[in-house]
Amino acid sequence: MSVPGPLHFLVLGALMFCISVAGLFINRKNMIVLLMCIELMLLSVNMNFIAFAHHLGDATGQIFVLFILTIAAAETAIGLAILVVLIRKRDTINVADMDQLHG
Amino acid sequence: MPLTPSVLVVLLVAVPLGFAPLCMLLNRPRAGWLLSTLAAVICTCTAVILAAGLADGGTVLHYFGGWAPPWGIAYRLDAVNAPLCVLIGLYTTAVLCWGLPSLTRELAADRQGVFHVCLLLNLAGMLGVACTNDIFNMFVFIEITSLSAYALVALGPDQRSLPAAFRYLLMGSVAASCILIGIGYLFALTGTLNMSDMRVRLGDVQHTRTAVMAFAFLTVGLGLKFAIFPLHGWLPAVYTRAPSMVAALFAALATKVYLYAWLRISVQLLDAELLFDELHLQVVLSVLAGAAVLFGSLAALVQSDLKSLLAYSSIAQMGYMVLGFSLLTYSGLEAGFLYMFNHALIKCTLFLAAGNLVLRTGTARLAELAGLGHAMPWTATILSIAGLGLVGLPPTAGLVSKWYLAGALLEAGQWPAVLVLFIGSGLAALYVWKMLRVLWLDPPRGHTVVEAPLPMLLVPLFMTVAIVGFGLYSRFPLAWAGRAARALLVPS
């Protein structure tokens, strides 16, 4: 069995990205799943960064991953905070309900 | 430490960033307002000093920690971004001076501290995006701007502000991922993040598929942020449901800063002409921009809410700007920058005046605003004159920008785009007429409202004078647009 190279990790990253995009479009039930998809999308980007950094033998790419993780955490925190207030007010996390409120 | 230009560039970002935690610690509504206004005034003055120094060309550079490029983070100010910093400072100051009564009405006192923290972070983020010369640093500032923007929208008075903010967060995060992938590819290709250094190293590898993909991802990501059709889904709800102050600020600045970032990356960092050919982007962008103009204007026509009418009109106006920039010629870029300048002024004025109506009536629904022109004559006059600017009628600045845009399009032989420009202006005339008819001609609904308080009138009134002033005497914005276009096309 061959040793996984940068291409394998890039393909893995691309697959994760596709799953998250599919999740964003297909999911109509649960807003938390939307947040998870966003998180997965950022993780797939991280995978790219780490693969590149390893391939180039440069640690900078891995340092960026830490920055990106921090930003992703901040985003999720804000998203969850909005959700909590929304649930308190509307008692629902259904995406369809959000669309009704939209506009 | 002497206040040399290179120190002033840092102050520009450091002042709002430093004032934000101070606001949090004080957590008093009035003190928060004073602090953020002070920070905005300091930023404006600093930006004016810097821009005045750069009027004859040249650049200001700052290397953080003395690390020479390409190792450290560098800030770089030139004829393109120095005036943008002035605009960012100026509009934030104007909106803050206008907004205290509106804020008091729309937000509980215990939330106003947080509001000012977010506003300052937003200011710092936008100035950072404008100043930085490091592409990863630019991403971080884009995120600072966006994260604070989500919170600002979520603070809106309407129950529907929360879904609007959530939608904005989702779209913004997808955009952030796309921007990151683009930056990652460029980093993998060149091994550097300093934009000047990256430009040199990209010389031989411009045409590789990696560079093209990076550009495509960056265009989609930033396109989502500056709301080019069909990636505009977040914009109407955000402009409609955010607090009036935030809506005015976003209308003036939010999309423009990202448009600047896209221009900086596509024109100055990458070889735009080559990439535009590779991706047929000139055709794609002008078709999308034309669709934005038509869709935005038609959608604005059928809105029953003043703020969402203005929001859809913003989508159309972004289309005009992209139409100019997509030409990649000197006159196209000049027209784009001029449009950016004038539209920021006109749309901010309109949203401020709409905020005045919301302050007195509590709603922006057109049906509820019937006949208010007689009760609030000053606000309605401001809306009328700025509305003329939106259509592009004399003697307003809107005419000047449309005139130059049409000139640039004709020069490039883009007849269909000129046609779209005329149709768009006709549709704009219809939706502005719809707004004005409701305000002036419809019978009043028996409201007992009075004119908005003085500061809320003075700021938009002053801006209306500027709209007419720049319409009659447009040498100043034209000079800036020309300098910016030249600096973009011939980087030093």
Side-chain angles (χ1 to χ4, degrees):
Chain A
M1 207 178 117
S2 63
V3 181
L7 188 67
H8 294 87
F9 289 104
L10 291 184
V11 169
L12 177 64
L15 280 178
M16 281 161 71
F17 190 82
C18 292
I19 293 172
S20 61
V21 172
L24 278 180
F25 280 105
I26 295 169
N27 165 51
R28 308 297 303 162
K29 277 263 177 253
N30 195 328
M31 287 202 214
I32 293 180
V33 176
L34 289 181
L35 279 183
M36 284 159 66
C37 289
I38 292 293
E39 193 73 5
L40 189 64
M41 193 178 270
L42 282 164
L43 284 180
S44 72
V45 181
N46 280 347
M47 186 66 80
N48 273 8
F49 265 95
I50 293 177
F52 284 140
H54 187 73
H55 179 61
L56 296 171
D58 183 351
T60 325
Q62 301 192 24
I63 296 169
F64 294 148
V65 171
L66 291 178
F67 279 100
I68 299 168
L69 279 179
T70 321
I71 287 166
E75 248 162 20
T76 317
I78 293 186
L80 281 175
I82 294 175
L83 263 187
V84 168
V85 183
L86 207 61
I87 292 167
R88 270 197 208 141
K89 283 193 174 164
R90 308 277 309 174
D91 204 19
T92 173
I93 50 169
N94 201 325
V95 184
D97 291 349
M98 184 173 84
D99 284 347
Q100 277 166 17
L101 277 172
H102 162 67
Chain B
M1 192 189 276
L3 283 179
T4 56
S6 103
V7 177
L8 286 179
V9 181
V10 183
L11 268 189
L12 213 52
V13 182
V15 166
L17 214 53
F19 273 46
L22 265 180
C23 254
M24 189 83 234
L25 287 175
L26 278 173
N27 205 13
R28 298 254 161 75
R30 195 50 76 94
W33 180 80
L34 271 177
L35 270 181
S36 45
T37 313
L38 184 65
V41 169
I42 294 175
C43 285
T44 314
C45 295
T46 316
V48 167
I49 294 170
L50 283 166
L54 287 169
D56 308 325
T59 50
V60 173
L61 286 162
H62 181 89
Y63 304 126
F64 275 88
W67 287 81
W71 308 113
I73 291 175
Y75 277 10
R76 181 175 183 277
L77 221 58
D78 59 17
V80 188
N81 51 8
L84 186 70
C85 290
V86 176
L87 292 187
I88 295 171
L90 214 53
Y91 284 119
T92 313
T93 314
V95 167
L96 275 164
C97 290
W98 170 84
L100 198 56
S102 160
L103 196 66
T104 318
R105 183 187 161 119
E106 289 183 344
L107 242 90
D110 58 336
R111 285 189 173 187
Q112 288 183 25
V114 183
F115 176 88
H116 287 296
V117 175
C118 293
L119 197 78
L120 282 172
L121 286 176
N122 199 261
L123 176 63
M126 285 193 287
L127 287 168
V129 172
C131 291
T132 187
N133 196 32
D134 180 288
I135 197 164
F136 193 80
N137 194 233
M138 186 184 258
F139 166 74
V140 172
F141 276 121
I142 286 178
E143 277 307 284
I144 292 179
T145 317
S146 306
L147 289 172
S148 52
Y150 307 146
L152 282 174
V153 176
L155 281 169
D158 196 313
Q159 207 180 33
R160 282 170 287 190
S161 326
L162 289 172
F166 194 77
R167 182 176 285 254
Y168 189 22
L169 180 123
L170 285 181
M171 304 273 260
S173 308
V174 173
S177 303
C178 290
I179 295 170
L180 254 185
I181 294 175
I183 293 174
Y185 282 171
L186 287 180
F187 173 66
L189 205 59
T190 59
T192 181
L193 290 166
N194 183 293
M195 281 157 69
S196 310
D197 190 36
M198 198 181 257
R199 182 182 171 77
V200 178
R201 294 202 196 186
L202 271 171
D204 309 328
V205 286
Q206 282 282 358
H207 56 278
T208 55
R209 188 172 291 173
T210 317
V212 174
M213 282 310 290
F215 179 62
F217 270 114
L218 281 164
T219 303
V220 171
L222 287 166
L224 255 167
K225 295 267 185 195
F226 65 69
I228 179 64
F229 180 85
L231 306 173
H232 63 273
W234 56 270
L235 190 142
V238 164
Y239 282 21
T240 314
R241 304 300 166 205
S244 296
M245 257 176 102
V246 177
L249 195 65
F250 284 8
L253 298 173
T255 44
K256 274 98 188 159
V257 172
Y258 297 121
L259 194 57
Y260 157 80
W262 178 74
L263 271 180
R264 182 64 115 191
I265 288 171
S266 57
V267 181
Q268 209 157 54
L269 180 61
L270 299 155
D271 182 356
E273 278 181 32
L274 192 114
L275 290 165
F276 268 49
D277 281 348
E278 192 101 9
L279 294 168
H280 304 290
L281 210 59
Q282 220 256 301
V283 181
V284 175
L285 278 183
S286 45
V287 167
L288 289 184
V293 170
L294 298 178
F295 166 81
S297 307
L298 284 173
L301 261 180
V302 297
Q303 297 306 312
S304 57
D305 183 294
L306 179 58
K307 279 188 179 175
S308 53
L309 183 148
L310 294 175
Y312 276 103
S313 144
S314 271
I315 294 169
Q317 307 285 327
M318 280 318 284
Y320 292 124
M321 277 170 242
V322 174
L323 215 51
F325 287 131
S326 71
L327 294 177
L328 283 184
T329 57
Y330 170 75
S331 44
L333 290 179
E334 186 194 26
F337 279 121
L338 189 66
Y339 212 107
M340 217 165 163
F341 181 90
N342 286 340
H343 176 248
L345 182 64
I346 292 169
K347 202 39 82 60
C348 189
T349 313
L350 282 167
F351 267 100
L352 290 183
N356 282 359
L357 296 177
V358 173
L359 176 84
R360 286 304 188 219
T361 60
T363 173
R365 290 183 58 77
L366 282 169
E368 302 282 326
L369 302 178
L372 272 183
H374 307 287
M376 301 175 74
W378 287 104
T379 302
T381 309
I382 291 165
L383 271 173
S384 312
I385 295 174
L388 289 185
L390 209 54
V391 184
L393 289 176
T396 60
L399 173 73
V400 182
S401 40
K402 282 200 171 151
W403 181 269
Y404 274 85
L405 184 61
L409 290 169
L410 283 178
E411 194 185 290
Q414 299 267 352
W415 285 96
V418 179
L419 195 66
V420 169
L421 182 82
F422 278 109
I423 298 174
S425 302
L427 290 172
L430 287 179
Y431 62 71
V432 168
W433 167 247
K434 178 179 169 183
M435 173 178 95
L436 297 185
R437 193 195 63 213
V438 168
L439 282 175
W440 291 109
L441 300 181
D442 281 5
R445 292 174 61 95
H447 287 302
T448 48
V449 291
V450 287
E451 186 56 272
L454 198 59
M456 292 185 76
L457 274 183
L458 279 181
V459 175
L461 209 56
F462 182 73
M463 287 162 74
T464 313
V465 172
I467 292 174
V468 178
F470 286 135
L472 297 172
Y473 181 81
S474 52
R475 190 180 290 175
F476 168 68
L478 254 179
W480 168 65
R483 270 202 301 272
R486 246 193 311 279
L488 256 190
L489 286 174
V490 193
S492 50

